[in-house]
Amino acid sequence: MEKKAETYDISFKKKAVDLYHQKKNYSAVSRELNIHRKNIQRWVKQFNVDGIVGLREKRGRKSGSDKVSSSTIENPQKKIKRLEAENELLKKLLKM
């Protein structure tokens, strides 16, 4: 039987990133949260590059589907919906 990869929600990932920023030690955070050090390293990198949006689940998406190339102009309605979704996500995380 195949073992499914563990999935973590954004609030858990954000907690791990915050702990790392406090302790500056991947191994200590790994032991405290009982998760692999590589996960924390990846989340810190994603957070540093893309902020909270970088921590959302990307499985099941086509490669590059979140990025808009410089030669493509994003549809204004799509952009509004995307930004509204990001704002809602941030509001939920700030309430925690």
Side-chain angles (χ1 to χ4, degrees):
M1 184 174 212
E2 282 186 43
K3 182 180 178 184
K4 295 240 178 191
E6 184 78 29
T7 58
Y8 301 97
D9 64 4
I10 291 177
S11 61
F12 182 82
K13 292 177 183 180
K14 179 69 168 96
K15 177 182 175 183
V17 169
D18 291 341
L19 278 172
Y20 169 75
H21 284 130
Q22 290 173 3
K23 297 181 184 228
K24 299 292 184 199
N25 186 319
Y26 291 112
S27 296
V29 176
S30 173
R31 283 189 301 272
E32 187 172 329
L33 298 177
N34 195 29
I35 58 174
H36 198 278
R37 170 180 60 80
K38 290 286 187 181
N39 288 333
I40 301 162
Q41 289 174 324
R42 184 175 60 251
W43 298 337
V44 168
K45 182 179 176 184
Q46 289 170 333
F47 182 80
N48 289 340
V49 171
D50 294 325
I52 193 75
V53 176
L55 298 178
R56 69 181 170 187
E57 183 64 43
K58 293 182 178 76
R59 275 188 243 170
R61 297 175 186 259
K62 291 183 180 177
S63 178
S65 64
D66 285 343
K67 297 180 182 176
V68 176
S69 69
S70 59
S71 64
T72 306
I73 299 176
E74 187 174 3
N75 178 336
Q77 292 300 325
K78 283 176 104 176
K79 185 174 183 177
I80 290 170
K81 286 184 180 184
R82 180 179 55 80
L83 292 171
E84 286 174 344
E86 288 177 12
N87 286 341
E88 288 300 316
L89 175 63
L90 292 171
K91 286 178 187 176
K92 288 178 183 177
L93 290 173
L94 289 173
K95 288 182 182 178
M96 293 182 164

Coordinates of all heavy atoms in Angstrom, one line a residue:
M1 N 0.8 -1.2 0.0 CA 0.0 0.0 0.0 C 0.9 1.2 0.0 O 1.9 1.3 0.7 CB -0.9 0.0 1.2 CG -1.9 1.1 1.3 SD -3.0 0.8 2.7 CE -4.4 1.6 2.1
E2 N 0.6 2.2 -0.8 CA 1.3 3.4 -0.9 C 1.1 4.3 0.3 O 0.0 4.5 0.7 CB 0.9 4.2 -2.2 CG 1.5 3.7 -3.4 CD 1.2 4.6 -4.6 OE1 1.4 5.8 -4.5 OE2 0.9 4.1 -5.7
K3 N 2.2 5.0 0.7 CA 2.1 5.9 1.8 C 1.8 7.3 1.2 O 2.6 7.7 0.3 CB 3.3 5.9 2.6 CG 3.2 6.9 3.8 CD 4.5 6.9 4.6 CE 4.4 7.9 5.7 NZ 5.6 8.0 6.5
K4 N 0.7 7.9 1.6 CA 0.4 9.3 1.1 C 1.3 10.3 1.8 O 1.5 10.2 3.0 CB -1.1 9.6 1.3 CG -2.0 8.7 0.5 CD -2.8 9.5 -0.4 CE -3.7 8.6 -1.2 NZ -4.3 9.2 -2.3
A5 N 1.7 11.3 1.1 CA 2.4 12.4 1.6 C 1.6 13.2 2.6 O 0.4 13.4 2.4 CB 3.0 13.3 0.5
E6 N 2.2 13.6 3.7 CA 1.5 14.4 4.7 C 1.2 15.8 4.1 O 2.1 16.3 3.5 CB 2.4 14.5 6.0 CG 1.7 15.2 7.1 CD 0.7 14.3 7.9 OE1 0.9 13.1 7.9 OE2 -0.2 14.9 8.4
T7 N 0.0 16.3 4.4 CA -0.2 17.7 3.9 C -0.4 18.5 5.2 O -1.0 18.1 6.2 CB -1.5 17.8 3.0 OG1 -2.6 17.2 3.7 CG2 -1.3 17.0 1.7
Y8 N 0.0 19.8 5.1 CA -0.1 20.7 6.2 C -0.8 21.9 5.7 O -0.6 22.4 4.6 CB 1.3 21.1 6.7 CG 2.1 19.9 7.1 CD1 3.0 19.3 6.3 CD2 2.0 19.4 8.4 CE1 3.8 18.2 6.7 CE2 2.7 18.3 8.8 CZ 3.6 17.7 8.0 OH 4.4 16.6 8.4
D9 N -1.7 22.5 6.6 CA -2.4 23.7 6.2 C -1.5 24.9 6.3 O -0.4 24.9 6.9 CB -3.7 23.9 7.0 CG -3.5 24.1 8.4 OD1 -2.3 24.2 8.9 OD2 -4.5 24.2 9.2
I10 N -1.9 26.0 5.7 CA -1.1 27.2 5.7 C -0.8 27.7 7.1 O 0.3 28.2 7.3 CB -1.8 28.3 4.9 CG1 -1.8 27.9 3.4 CG2 -1.1 29.7 5.0 CD1 -2.5 28.9 2.5
S11 N -1.7 27.7 8.0 CA -1.4 28.2 9.4 C -0.3 27.4 10.1 O 0.5 28.0 10.8 CB -2.7 28.2 10.2 OG -3.2 26.9 10.4
F12 N -0.3 26.1 9.8 CA 0.8 25.3 10.4 C 2.1 25.6 9.8 O 3.1 25.8 10.5 CB 0.5 23.8 10.2 CG 1.5 22.9 10.8 CD1 1.5 22.6 12.2 CD2 2.6 22.3 10.0 CE1 2.5 21.7 12.7 CE2 3.5 21.5 10.6 CZ 3.5 21.2 11.9
K13 N 2.1 25.8 8.5 CA 3.4 26.2 7.8 C 3.9 27.5 8.3 O 5.1 27.7 8.5 CB 3.2 26.2 6.3 CG 2.9 24.9 5.6 CD 2.6 25.0 4.2 CE 2.3 23.7 3.5 NZ 2.0 23.8 2.1
K14 N 2.9 28.5 8.4 CA 3.3 29.8 8.9 C 3.9 29.7 10.3 O 4.8 30.4 10.7 CB 2.1 30.7 8.9 CG 2.3 32.1 9.4 CD 3.2 32.9 8.4 CE 3.2 34.4 8.7 NZ 4.3 34.8 9.6
K15 N 3.3 28.9 11.2 CA 3.8 28.7 12.5 C 5.2 28.2 12.5 O 6.1 28.7 13.2 CB 2.9 27.7 13.3 CG 3.4 27.4 14.7 CD 2.5 26.4 15.3 CE 3.0 26.0 16.7 NZ 2.2 24.9 17.3
A16 N 5.5 27.2 11.6 CA 6.8 26.7 11.5 C 7.8 27.7 11.0 O 8.9 27.8 11.5 CB 6.8 25.5 10.5
V17 N 7.4 28.5 10.0 CA 8.3 29.6 9.5 C 8.6 30.6 10.6 O 9.7 31.1 10.8 CB 7.6 30.3 8.3 CG1 8.4 31.6 7.9 CG2 7.6 29.4 7.1
D18 N 7.5 31.0 11.4 CA 7.7 31.9 12.5 C 8.6 31.4 13.6 O 9.5 32.1 14.1 CB 6.4 32.3 13.1 CG 5.5 33.1 12.2 OD1 6.0 33.8 11.3 OD2 4.3 33.2 12.5
L19 N 8.5 30.1 13.9 CA 9.4 29.5 14.9 C 10.8 29.5 14.4 O 11.8 29.8 15.1 CB 9.0 28.0 15.2 CG 7.8 27.9 16.2 CD1 7.4 26.4 16.2 CD2 8.3 28.3 17.5
Y20 N 11.0 29.2 13.1 CA 12.4 29.3 12.5 C 12.9 30.7 12.7 O 14.1 30.9 13.0 CB 12.4 28.8 11.1 CG 13.7 29.1 10.5 CD1 14.9 28.4 10.8 CD2 13.9 30.2 9.7 CE1 16.1 28.7 10.3 CE2 15.2 30.6 9.2 CZ 16.3 29.8 9.5 OH 17.5 30.1 9.0
H21 N 12.1 31.7 12.3 CA 12.6 33.1 12.4 C 13.0 33.4 13.9 O 13.9 34.3 14.1 CB 11.6 34.1 11.8 CG 11.6 34.0 10.3 ND1 10.5 33.9 9.6 CD2 12.7 34.1 9.4 CE1 10.8 33.9 8.3 NE2 12.1 34.0 8.2
Q22 N 12.3 32.9 14.8 CA 12.6 33.1 16.2 C 13.9 32.4 16.7 O 14.8 33.0 17.3 CB 11.5 32.6 17.1 CG 10.3 33.5 17.1 CD 9.1 32.9 17.9 OE1 9.3 31.8 18.5 NE2 8.0 33.5 17.8
K23 N 14.0 31.1 16.3 CA 15.1 30.3 16.8 C 16.3 30.2 15.8 O 17.4 29.9 16.3 CB 14.6 28.8 17.0 CG 13.5 28.8 18.1 CD 13.1 27.4 18.3 CE 11.9 27.4 19.3 NZ 12.1 26.4 20.3
K24 N 16.1 30.5 14.6 CA 17.2 30.4 13.5 C 17.9 29.0 13.5 O 19.1 28.9 13.4 CB 18.2 31.5 13.8 CG 17.7 32.9 13.7 CD 17.3 33.2 12.3 CE 16.9 34.7 12.2 NZ 16.1 35.0 11.1
N25 N 17.0 28.0 13.8 CA 17.6 26.6 13.8 C 16.6 25.6 13.3 O 15.5 25.4 13.9 CB 18.0 26.3 15.3 CG 18.7 25.0 15.4 OD1 18.3 24.0 14.7 ND2 19.7 24.9 16.3
Y26 N 16.8 25.1 12.1 CA 15.9 24.1 11.5 C 15.7 22.9 12.3 O 14.6 22.4 12.5 CB 16.4 23.7 10.1 CG 16.3 24.9 9.1 CD1 17.5 25.4 8.5 CD2 15.1 25.4 8.6 CE1 17.4 26.4 7.6 CE2 15.0 26.4 7.7 CZ 16.2 26.9 7.2 OH 16.1 27.9 6.3
S27 N 16.7 22.4 12.9 CA 16.6 21.1 13.7 C 15.8 21.3 14.9 O 15.0 20.4 15.3 CB 18.0 20.6 14.1 OG 18.8 20.3 12.9
A28 N 15.9 22.4 15.6 CA 15.1 22.7 16.8 C 13.6 22.8 16.5 O 12.8 22.2 17.2 CB 15.6 24.0 17.5
V29 N 13.3 23.5 15.4 CA 11.9 23.6 15.0 C 11.4 22.2 14.5 O 10.3 21.8 14.9 CB 11.8 24.6 13.9 CG1 10.3 24.7 13.4 CG2 12.2 26.0 14.3
S30 N 12.2 21.5 13.8 CA 11.9 20.1 13.4 C 11.5 19.2 14.6 O 10.5 18.5 14.5 CB 13.0 19.5 12.6 OG 12.8 18.2 12.3
R31 N 12.3 19.2 15.6 CA 12.0 18.4 16.8 C 10.8 18.9 17.5 O 9.9 18.1 17.9 CB 13.2 18.5 17.8 CG 14.4 17.6 17.3 CD 15.4 17.5 18.4 NE 16.0 18.8 18.8 CZ 17.0 19.4 18.2 NH1 17.6 18.8 17.2 NH2 17.4 20.6 18.7
E32 N 10.6 20.2 17.6 CA 9.5 20.8 18.3 C 8.1 20.4 17.6 O 7.1 20.1 18.3 CB 9.6 22.3 18.4 CG 8.5 22.9 19.3 CD 8.8 24.4 19.6 OE1 10.0 24.8 19.6 OE2 7.8 25.2 19.7
L33 N 8.1 20.5 16.3 CA 6.9 20.3 15.6 C 6.8 18.8 15.1 O 5.7 18.4 14.5 CB 6.8 21.2 14.4 CG 6.7 22.7 14.7 CD1 6.7 23.6 13.5 CD2 5.5 23.0 15.6
N34 N 7.8 18.0 15.2 CA 7.9 16.6 14.8 C 7.6 16.5 13.3 O 6.8 15.7 12.9 CB 6.8 15.8 15.6 CG 7.1 14.3 15.5 OD1 8.2 13.9 15.3 ND2 6.0 13.5 15.6
I35 N 8.3 17.3 12.5 CA 8.3 17.2 11.1 C 9.7 17.2 10.6 O 10.6 17.7 11.3 CB 7.4 18.3 10.4 CG1 8.0 19.7 10.8 CG2 6.0 18.2 10.8 CD1 7.3 20.8 10.1
H36 N 9.9 16.8 9.3 CA 11.2 16.8 8.7 C 11.8 18.2 8.5 O 11.1 19.1 8.1 CB 11.2 16.0 7.4 CG 12.6 15.5 7.0 ND1 13.4 16.3 6.4 CD2 13.2 14.3 7.2 CE1 14.6 15.7 6.1 NE2 14.4 14.5 6.6
R37 N 13.1 18.3 8.8 CA 13.8 19.6 8.6 C 13.7 20.2 7.2 O 13.5 21.4 7.0 CB 15.2 19.4 9.0 CG 16.2 20.4 8.7 CD 17.6 20.1 9.2 NE 18.1 18.9 8.5 CZ 18.6 18.9 7.3 NH1 18.7 19.9 6.6 NH2 19.1 17.7 6.8
K38 N 13.7 19.3 6.2 CA 13.6 19.7 4.8 C 12.3 20.5 4.5 O 12.2 21.4 3.7 CB 13.7 18.6 3.8 CG 15.1 18.0 3.8 CD 16.0 18.9 3.1 CE 17.4 18.2 2.9 NZ 18.3 19.0 2.2
N39 N 11.2 20.1 5.2 CA 9.9 20.7 5.0 C 10.0 22.2 5.4 O 9.6 23.1 4.8 CB 8.8 20.1 5.8 CG 8.4 18.7 5.1 OD1 8.5 18.5 4.0 ND2 7.9 17.9 6.0
I40 N 10.6 22.4 6.6 CA 10.7 23.7 7.2 C 11.6 24.6 6.3 O 11.3 25.7 6.0 CB 11.3 23.7 8.6 CG1 10.4 22.8 9.5 CG2 11.5 25.0 9.2 CD1 11.0 22.3 10.8
Q41 N 12.7 24.0 5.8 CA 13.6 24.8 4.9 C 12.8 25.2 3.7 O 13.0 26.4 3.2 CB 14.8 23.9 4.5 CG 15.8 23.7 5.6 CD 16.9 22.7 5.3 OE1 16.6 21.7 4.5 NE2 18.0 22.9 5.8
R42 N 12.1 24.3 3.1 CA 11.3 24.6 1.9 C 10.3 25.7 2.1 O 10.2 26.7 1.4 CB 10.6 23.4 1.3 CG 9.9 23.6 0.0 CD 9.3 22.4 -0.6 NE 8.4 21.7 0.3 CZ 8.6 20.5 0.9 NH1 9.7 19.9 0.8 NH2 7.7 20.0 1.7
W43 N 9.6 25.6 3.3 CA 8.5 26.6 3.6 C 9.2 28.0 3.9 O 8.6 29.0 3.5 CB 7.7 26.2 4.8 CG 7.0 24.9 4.6 CD1 6.6 24.4 3.4 CD2 6.5 24.0 5.6 NE1 5.9 23.2 3.6 CE2 5.9 22.9 4.9 CE3 6.6 24.0 6.9 CZ2 5.3 21.9 5.6 CZ3 6.0 22.9 7.6 CH2 5.3 21.9 7.0
V44 N 10.3 28.0 4.5 CA 11.0 29.3 4.8 C 11.4 30.0 3.5 O 11.2 31.2 3.3 CB 12.2 29.1 5.8 CG1 13.0 30.4 5.8 CG2 11.7 28.7 7.2
K45 N 11.9 29.2 2.6 CA 12.3 29.7 1.3 C 11.1 30.2 0.5 O 11.1 31.3 0.0 CB 13.0 28.6 0.5 CG 13.5 29.1 -0.9 CD 14.2 27.9 -1.6 CE 14.6 28.4 -3.0 NZ 15.2 27.3 -3.8
Q46 N 10.0 29.4 0.5 CA 8.8 29.9 -0.2 C 8.2 31.1 0.4 O 7.8 32.0 -0.3 CB 7.8 28.7 -0.2 CG 8.1 27.5 -1.0 CD 7.2 26.4 -0.7 OE1 6.6 26.2 0.3 NE2 7.0 25.5 -1.7
F47 N 8.3 31.2 1.7 CA 7.7 32.4 2.4 C 8.6 33.6 2.1 O 8.0 34.7 1.9 CB 7.6 32.1 3.9 CG 7.1 33.3 4.7 CD1 5.7 33.5 4.7 CD2 7.9 34.2 5.3 CE1 5.1 34.5 5.4 CE2 7.3 35.3 6.0 CZ 6.0 35.4 6.1
N48 N 9.9 33.4 2.1 CA 10.8 34.6 1.8 C 10.6 35.1 0.4 O 10.8 36.3 0.2 CB 12.2 34.2 2.1 CG 12.5 34.0 3.6 OD1 11.8 34.5 4.5 ND2 13.5 33.3 3.9
V49 N 10.3 34.2 -0.5 CA 10.2 34.6 -1.9 C 8.8 35.2 -2.2 O 8.6 36.3 -2.8 CB 10.4 33.4 -2.9 CG1 10.1 33.8 -4.3 CG2 11.9 33.0 -2.7
D50 N 7.7 34.5 -1.8 CA 6.3 34.8 -2.2 C 5.4 35.3 -1.0 O 4.2 35.5 -1.2 CB 5.7 33.7 -2.9 CG 6.4 33.3 -4.2 OD1 6.8 34.3 -4.9 OD2 6.4 32.1 -4.5
G51 N 5.9 35.3 0.2 CA 5.1 35.7 1.3 C 4.2 34.5 1.7 O 4.4 33.4 1.3
I52 N 3.1 34.9 2.3 CA 2.1 33.9 2.8 C 1.5 33.1 1.6 O 1.2 31.9 1.7 CB 1.0 34.5 3.6 CG1 0.1 33.5 4.3 CG2 0.1 35.4 2.7 CD1 0.8 32.9 5.5
V53 N 1.4 33.7 0.4 CA 0.9 33.0 -0.8 C 1.8 31.8 -1.2 O 1.3 30.8 -1.7 CB 0.7 34.0 -1.9 CG1 0.2 33.3 -3.2 CG2 -0.3 35.1 -1.5
G54 N 3.1 32.0 -0.9 CA 4.0 30.9 -1.3 C 3.8 29.6 -0.5 O 4.3 28.6 -0.8
L55 N 3.0 29.7 0.6 CA 2.8 28.5 1.5 C 1.6 27.7 1.1 O 1.4 26.7 1.7 CB 2.7 29.0 3.0 CG 4.0 29.6 3.5 CD1 3.7 30.1 5.0 CD2 5.2 28.7 3.5
R56 N 0.8 28.2 0.2 CA -0.4 27.4 -0.2 C -0.1 26.2 -0.9 O 1.0 26.0 -1.5 CB -1.4 28.3 -0.9 CG -0.9 28.6 -2.3 CD -1.9 29.5 -3.0 NE -1.3 30.0 -4.2 CZ -1.8 30.8 -5.0 NH1 -2.9 31.4 -4.8 NH2 -1.2 31.2 -6.1
E57 N -1.0 25.2 -0.9 CA -0.8 23.9 -1.5 C -0.7 24.0 -3.0 O -1.5 24.7 -3.6 CB -1.9 23.0 -1.1 CG -1.8 21.6 -1.6 CD -0.6 20.8 -1.0 OE1 -0.4 20.9 0.2 OE2 0.1 20.2 -1.8
K58 N 0.3 23.4 -3.6 CA 0.5 23.5 -5.0 C 0.3 22.2 -5.7 O 0.4 22.1 -6.9 CB 1.9 24.0 -5.3 CG 2.0 25.5 -4.9 CD 3.4 26.0 -5.2 CE 3.6 27.4 -4.8 NZ 3.8 27.7 -3.4
R59 N 0.0 21.1 -5.0 CA -0.2 19.8 -5.7 C -1.4 19.8 -6.5 O -2.4 20.4 -6.2 CB -0.3 18.7 -4.6 CG 1.0 18.2 -4.2 CD 0.8 17.0 -3.3 NE 1.3 17.4 -2.0 CZ 1.2 16.7 -0.9 NH1 0.5 15.6 -0.9 NH2 1.8 17.1 0.2
G60 N -1.3 19.2 -7.7 CA -2.5 19.1 -8.6 C -2.6 20.3 -9.5 O -3.4 20.3 -10.4
R61 N -1.7 21.2 -9.4 CA -1.7 22.4 -10.3 C -0.7 22.1 -11.4 O 0.3 21.4 -11.2 CB -1.2 23.6 -9.6 CG -2.1 24.1 -8.5 CD -1.5 25.3 -7.8 NE -2.2 25.7 -6.7 CZ -3.1 26.7 -6.7 NH1 -3.2 27.4 -7.7 NH2 -3.7 27.0 -5.6
K62 N -1.0 22.6 -12.6 CA 0.0 22.5 -13.7 C 1.1 23.4 -13.5 O 1.0 24.5 -12.9 CB -0.7 22.8 -15.0 CG -1.8 21.8 -15.4 CD -2.4 22.1 -16.8 CE -3.4 21.1 -17.1 NZ -4.1 21.4 -18.3
S63 N 2.3 23.0 -13.9 CA 3.5 23.8 -13.7 C 3.4 25.1 -14.3 O 3.0 25.2 -15.5 CB 4.7 23.0 -14.3 OG 5.9 23.8 -14.2
G64 N 3.6 26.2 -13.6 CA 3.6 27.5 -14.1 C 2.2 28.1 -14.2 O 2.0 29.2 -14.7
S65 N 1.2 27.4 -13.7 CA -0.2 27.9 -13.9 C -0.4 29.2 -13.0 O -1.3 29.9 -13.3 CB -1.2 26.8 -13.5 OG -1.1 26.5 -12.2
D66 N 0.4 29.4 -12.0 CA 0.2 30.6 -11.1 C 0.9 31.8 -11.6 O 0.7 32.9 -11.2 CB 0.7 30.3 -9.7 CG -0.2 29.4 -8.9 OD1 -1.4 29.3 -9.3 OD2 0.2 28.9 -7.9
K67 N 1.8 31.6 -12.6 CA 2.7 32.7 -13.1 C 2.1 33.3 -14.4 O 1.6 32.5 -15.2 CB 4.1 32.2 -13.3 CG 4.7 31.7 -12.0 CD 6.1 31.3 -12.2 CE 6.7 30.8 -10.9 NZ 8.0 30.2 -11.1
V68 N 2.2 34.6 -14.5 CA 1.8 35.2 -15.7 C 3.1 35.7 -16.4 O 3.9 36.4 -15.8 CB 0.9 36.5 -15.4 CG1 0.6 37.2 -16.7 CG2 -0.3 36.0 -14.7
S69 N 3.3 35.3 -17.6 CA 4.5 35.7 -18.3 C 4.4 37.1 -18.7 O 3.4 37.7 -18.7 CB 4.7 34.8 -19.6 OG 3.7 35.1 -20.5
S70 N 5.6 37.7 -18.9 CA 5.6 39.1 -19.3 C 4.9 39.4 -20.6 O 4.5 40.6 -20.8 CB 7.1 39.6 -19.3 OG 7.8 38.9 -20.3
S71 N 4.8 38.4 -21.4 CA 4.1 38.7 -22.7 C 2.6 38.5 -22.6 O 1.9 38.7 -23.6 CB 4.7 37.7 -23.8 OG 4.4 36.4 -23.4
T72 N 2.1 38.1 -21.4 CA 0.7 37.9 -21.3 C 0.1 38.9 -20.3 O 0.7 39.1 -19.2 CB 0.4 36.4 -20.7 OG1 1.0 35.5 -21.6 CG2 -1.1 36.2 -20.6
I73 N -1.0 39.5 -20.6 CA -1.6 40.4 -19.7 C -2.8 39.7 -19.0 O -3.6 39.1 -19.7 CB -2.1 41.7 -20.5 CG1 -1.0 42.4 -21.1 CG2 -2.9 42.6 -19.5 CD1 -1.4 43.6 -22.0
E74 N -2.8 39.7 -17.7 CA -3.8 39.0 -17.0 C -5.1 39.7 -17.1 O -5.2 41.0 -17.1 CB -3.4 39.0 -15.5 CG -4.3 38.1 -14.6 CD -3.8 38.0 -13.2 OE1 -2.8 38.6 -12.9 OE2 -4.4 37.3 -12.5
N75 N -6.2 39.0 -17.3 CA -7.5 39.5 -17.4 C -7.8 40.2 -16.2 O -7.7 39.7 -15.1 CB -8.5 38.3 -17.7 CG -9.9 38.7 -17.7 OD1 -10.3 39.7 -17.2 ND2 -10.7 37.8 -18.4
P76 N -8.3 41.5 -16.2 CA -8.6 42.3 -15.0 C -9.6 41.6 -14.1 O -9.4 41.6 -12.9 CB -9.2 43.6 -15.6 CG -8.7 43.7 -17.0 CD -8.5 42.3 -17.5
Q77 N -10.6 40.9 -14.6 CA -11.6 40.2 -13.7 C -10.9 39.0 -13.0 O -11.2 38.8 -11.8 CB -12.8 39.7 -14.5 CG -13.6 40.8 -15.1 CD -14.2 41.7 -13.9 OE1 -14.6 41.2 -12.9 NE2 -14.3 43.0 -14.2
K78 N -10.0 38.3 -13.7 CA -9.3 37.2 -13.0 C -8.4 37.7 -12.0 O -8.3 37.2 -10.9 CB -8.5 36.4 -14.1 CG -9.3 35.5 -15.0 CD -8.4 34.9 -16.0 CE -8.1 33.5 -15.6 NZ -7.2 32.8 -16.7
K79 N -7.7 38.8 -12.3 CA -6.8 39.4 -11.3 C -7.6 39.9 -10.1 O -7.1 39.7 -8.9 CB -6.1 40.6 -11.9 CG -5.0 41.2 -11.0 CD -4.2 42.3 -11.8 CE -3.1 42.8 -10.9 NZ -2.3 43.8 -11.6
I80 N -8.7 40.5 -10.2 CA -9.5 40.9 -9.1 C -9.9 39.7 -8.2 O -9.8 39.8 -7.0 CB -10.8 41.7 -9.6 CG1 -10.4 43.1 -10.2 CG2 -11.8 41.9 -8.4 CD1 -11.5 43.8 -10.9
K81 N -10.4 38.7 -8.9 CA -10.8 37.5 -8.1 C -9.6 36.9 -7.4 O -9.7 36.5 -6.2 CB -11.4 36.4 -9.0 CG -12.8 36.8 -9.5 CD -13.4 35.7 -10.3 CE -14.8 36.1 -10.8 NZ -15.5 35.0 -11.5
R82 N -8.4 36.8 -8.0 CA -7.3 36.3 -7.4 C -6.8 37.1 -6.2 O -6.6 36.6 -5.1 CB -6.1 36.2 -8.4 CG -4.8 35.6 -7.8 CD -3.7 35.6 -8.8 NE -3.4 36.8 -9.5 CZ -2.6 37.8 -8.9 NH1 -2.1 37.6 -7.7 NH2 -2.4 38.9 -9.6
L83 N -6.9 38.4 -6.3 CA -6.5 39.3 -5.2 C -7.5 39.3 -4.1 O -7.1 39.3 -2.9 CB -6.3 40.8 -5.7 CG -5.1 41.0 -6.7 CD1 -5.2 42.4 -7.3 CD2 -3.8 40.7 -6.0
E84 N -8.8 39.1 -4.4 CA -9.8 39.0 -3.4 C -9.6 37.7 -2.6 O -9.7 37.7 -1.3 CB -11.2 39.1 -4.0 CG -11.6 40.4 -4.4 CD -12.9 40.5 -5.1 OE1 -13.4 39.4 -5.6 OE2 -13.5 41.6 -5.3
A85 N -9.2 36.6 -3.3 CA -9.0 35.4 -2.6 C -7.8 35.5 -1.7 O -7.8 35.0 -0.5 CB -8.8 34.3 -3.6
E86 N -6.7 36.1 -2.1 CA -5.5 36.3 -1.3 C -5.9 37.1 -0.1 O -5.4 36.8 1.0 CB -4.4 37.0 -2.1 CG -3.8 36.1 -3.1 CD -2.7 36.8 -4.0 OE1 -2.3 37.9 -3.7 OE2 -2.3 36.2 -5.0
N87 N -6.7 38.2 -0.3 CA -7.1 39.0 0.9 C -7.8 38.2 1.9 O -7.6 38.4 3.1 CB -7.9 40.3 0.4 CG -7.0 41.3 -0.3 OD1 -5.8 41.3 -0.1 ND2 -7.6 42.1 -1.1
E88 N -8.8 37.4 1.4 CA -9.6 36.6 2.4 C -8.7 35.6 3.1 O -8.8 35.4 4.3 CB -10.6 35.8 1.6 CG -11.8 36.7 1.1 CD -12.5 37.4 2.2 OE1 -12.8 36.7 3.3 OE2 -12.8 38.6 2.1
L89 N -7.7 35.1 2.5 CA -6.8 34.1 3.1 C -6.0 34.9 4.2 O -5.8 34.4 5.3 CB -5.8 33.5 2.1 CG -4.7 32.6 2.6 CD1 -5.3 31.4 3.3 CD2 -3.8 32.2 1.5
L90 N -5.5 36.0 3.9 CA -4.7 36.8 4.9 C -5.6 37.2 6.0 O -5.2 37.2 7.2 CB -4.1 38.0 4.2 CG -3.0 37.8 3.2 CD1 -2.6 39.0 2.4 CD2 -1.8 37.2 3.9
K91 N -6.9 37.6 5.8 CA -7.8 37.9 6.9 C -8.0 36.8 7.8 O -8.0 36.9 9.0 CB -9.1 38.4 6.3 CG -9.1 39.8 5.7 CD -10.5 40.1 5.2 CE -10.5 41.4 4.4 NZ -11.8 41.7 3.8
K92 N -8.2 35.6 7.3 CA -8.4 34.4 8.1 C -7.1 34.1 8.9 O -7.2 33.7 10.1 CB -8.7 33.2 7.2 CG -10.0 33.2 6.6 CD -10.3 32.0 5.7 CE -11.6 32.1 5.0 NZ -11.8 30.9 4.1
L93 N -5.9 34.2 8.3 CA -4.7 34.0 9.1 C -4.5 35.0 10.2 O -3.9 34.7 11.2 CB -3.5 33.9 8.1 CG -3.5 32.7 7.2 CD1 -2.4 32.9 6.2 CD2 -3.3 31.4 8.0
L94 N -4.9 36.2 9.9 CA -4.7 37.3 11.0 C -5.6 37.1 12.2 O -5.3 37.5 13.3 CB -4.8 38.7 10.3 CG -3.7 39.1 9.4 CD1 -4.1 40.4 8.7 CD2 -2.4 39.2 10.1
K95 N -6.7 36.4 12.0 CA -7.7 36.2 13.1 C -7.2 35.1 14.0 O -7.6 35.0 15.1 CB -9.0 35.8 12.5 CG -9.8 36.9 11.9 CD -11.1 36.5 11.4 CE -11.8 37.6 10.7 NZ -13.1 37.2 10.2
M96 N -6.2 34.3 13.6 CA -5.7 33.2 14.4 C -4.9 33.7 15.6 O -4.2 34.5 15.7 CB -4.9 32.2 13.6 CG -5.7 31.5 12.6 SD -4.6 30.4 11.7 CE -5.9 29.4 10.9

